[in-house]
Amino acid sequence: MSRRTVVLSTLTAALLVGGAGAFAVARTADEPPVLSESAARFTAPTAKRDGGLVFITDVTAPSGVKSLKVLAWPEDGPFSEAKNKLTAKDLAEVESADCVDAEDDTVVCTYDAPVTAKDLTESPRGTWHIATLATAEDGTTTFADRTATFTVR
């Protein structure tokens, strides 16, 4: 094989591998955040102490996680009707969870809300859902209206 053929083959291979790598990097940068290991725990208040709602989830995004918005809503509430379905736009102005780095592109996010005896008396009983809006650093988002479920008794 001539030297010219070897050089051209090497350059072609390098360009193909480099191009594939650049495509893979560009492709993963546009991937939306992924939530996993999501769980909610509701503790009712007692005469001696307040209760609370704790929601925890892992969020993974190749470009990094910018924020996780969290909203608890009752199944028999206003968002249960077909004409009033909860949307990502509804979560734009709600509270954010606190997120800490875990590994690689993953953060662990925790949302902790106190629940007083007064809150409990004013809240519907039954099934509640946790809605989430995860936003990656590159602007991609993932919305879910039922990321986790808990019961208020």
Side-chain angles (χ1 to χ4, degrees):
M1 196 182 297
S2 76
R3 182 174 174 196
R4 184 176 183 186
T5 303
V6 170
V7 170
L8 285 176
S9 296
T10 303
L11 280 173
T12 302
L15 287 173
L16 286 174
V17 170
F23 176 76
V25 168
R27 184 83 174 112
T28 59
D30 292 339
E31 290 181 19
V34 175
L35 279 69
S36 62
E37 305 296 325
S38 302
R41 185 182 75 230
F42 174 78
T43 306
T46 66
K48 295 183 180 182
R49 62 164 175 73
D50 285 345
L53 169 64
V54 177
F55 169 73
I56 188 166
T57 191
D58 294 348
V59 185
T60 303
S63 68
V65 177
K66 182 177 180 181
S67 68
L68 178 70
K69 300 288 189 163
V70 178
L71 176 68
W73 61 280
E75 186 169 86
D76 293 332
F79 298 121
S80 62
E81 298 174 22
K83 64 182 178 184
N84 292 329
K85 287 290 184 190
L86 192 61
T87 66
K89 191 174 183 178
D90 295 319
L91 268 68
E93 301 299 321
V94 301
E95 295 180 21
S96 293
D98 294 319
C99 301
V100 295
D101 290 336
E103 57 185 46
D104 299 327
D105 302 329
T106 302
V107 297
V108 176
C109 297
T110 305
Y111 175 78
D112 192 353
V115 177
T116 65
K118 182 180 179 194
D119 294 333
L120 186 61
T121 60
E122 296 173 354
S123 298
R125 301 294 194 264
T127 303
W128 283 62
H129 303 286
I130 301 286
T132 55
L133 177 63
T135 303
E137 289 292 343
D138 66 6
T140 58
T141 61
T142 298
F143 167 74
D145 64 348
R146 296 168 191 241
T147 304
T149 302
F150 63 95
T151 303
V152 174
R153 295 182 183 173

